[in-house]
Amino acid sequence: NAGVTQTPKFQVLKTGQSMTLQCAQDMNHEYMSWYRQDPGMGLRLIHYSVGAGITDQGEVPNGYNVSRSTTEDFPLRLLSAAPSQTSVYFCASSYSGNSGSYNEQFFGPGTRLTVL
Amino acid sequence: GENVEQHPSTLSVQEGDSAVIKCTYSDSASNYFPWYKQELGKRPQLIIDIRSNVGEKKDQRIAVTLNKTAKHFSLHITETQPEDSAVYFCAARSYGGSQGNLIFGKGTKLSVKP
């Protein structure tokens, strides 16, 4: 298994540009999520999904969109990039995020995004 | 929603000493508390976790304790080695309206000096 994969590894955007960060997992996990990591701020949840066709907002959703058309893929779209979105983005997945489950959350390798 | 506080933000120890990192959480409904280790430039990886029906869990040199009454949990690393140097994150799984998402602390940068 490849686990959780993310592309690209690095990206530089200009303010106002849009782009999609790709995330895929081959473990048949229902739950997928996106985090951003900034120095001294830990990992903050952007959006998450508990299954295909179901998405919801996390702690810091503004400026980002997601969709979940398949179990495997969970892309994150930046609609109009801003310098404040400069960060490292991690995708993660687990078997389920529902009450009563304690399944390990696996992280992808991350995408380092710079917005000029 | 859930809020997780983590202390200290940086910790420096001599090789062989013990290291303790502490976290507090706000949501009494949280029932799962993992710890992740992140080496420089790499992804976070789970090192140990504890469920709310257990007070302590140990895995070789690593242990985690949970005090549900006080709403705090701690990571203990004994006989530290240089390869333990990394950033450590605690997290709590909150089951409020958020479908069981992990909420992370801000991290502790552990440096182990040879």
Side-chain angles (χ1 to χ4, degrees), chain A residues 8 33 53 60 70 72 86:
Chain A
S33 56
V60 288
T70 67
E72 294 78 19
T86 293

Side-chain angles (χ1 to χ4, degrees), chain B residues 57-110:
Chain B
K57 184 177 179 181
K58 190 173 182 179
D59 183 4
Q60 299 183 336
R61 296 186 296 109
I62 295 173
V64 57
T65 59
L66 172 65
N67 183 327
K68 285 183 60 180
T69 302
K71 289 189 282 188
H72 68 70
F73 56 112
S74 300
L75 178 71
H76 304 254
I77 306 174
T78 59
E79 301 172 18
T80 54
Q81 301 167 3
E83 52 264 39
D84 293 329
S85 296
V87 178
Y88 291 82
F89 293 97
C90 63
R93 173 158 280 164
S94 173
Y95 287 99
S98 56
Q99 296 282 332
N101 297 310
L102 284 182
I103 304 300
F104 285 83
K106 294 183 178 180
T108 296
K109 184 177 181 180
L110 174 64

Side-chain angles (χ1 to χ4, degrees), chain A:
Chain A
N1 287 347
V4 182
T5 58
Q6 291 182 237
T7 57
K9 291 186 178 180
F10 302 95
Q11 183 70 49
V12 179
L13 293 177
K14 294 181 179 179
T15 297
Q17 287 185 313
S18 63
M19 79 159 294
T20 299
L21 279 63
Q22 301 292 343
C23 174
Q25 52 88 13
D26 60 359
M27 297 175 281
N28 201 32
H29 286 169
E30 302 98 334
Y31 181 88
M32 296 186 74
S33 56
W34 276 101
Y35 291 88
R36 61 177 289 173
Q37 184 174 33
D38 303 294
M41 296 298 292
L43 293 151
R44 292 183 292 169
L45 183 66
I46 304 172
H47 285 286
Y48 65 96
S49 169
V50 297
I54 306 170
T55 64
D56 207 344
Q57 297 180 351
E59 304 168 88
V60 288
N62 292 340
Y64 308 94
N65 275 356
V66 292
S67 60
R68 185 93 178 271
S69 57
T70 67
T71 299
E72 294 78 19
D73 301 299
F74 190 43
L76 178 72
R77 282 184 291 277
L78 280 70
L79 308 174
S80 177
S84 60
Q85 293 179 305
T86 293
S87 188
V88 179
Y89 292 84
F90 287 100
C91 179
S93 73
S94 67
Y95 275 110
S96 176
N98 292 329
S99 176
S101 68
Y102 305 95
N103 297 300
E104 177 179 354
Q105 187 158 250
F106 294 87
F107 284 84
T111 294
R112 185 175 294 274
L113 175 68
T114 301
V115 183
L116 302 175

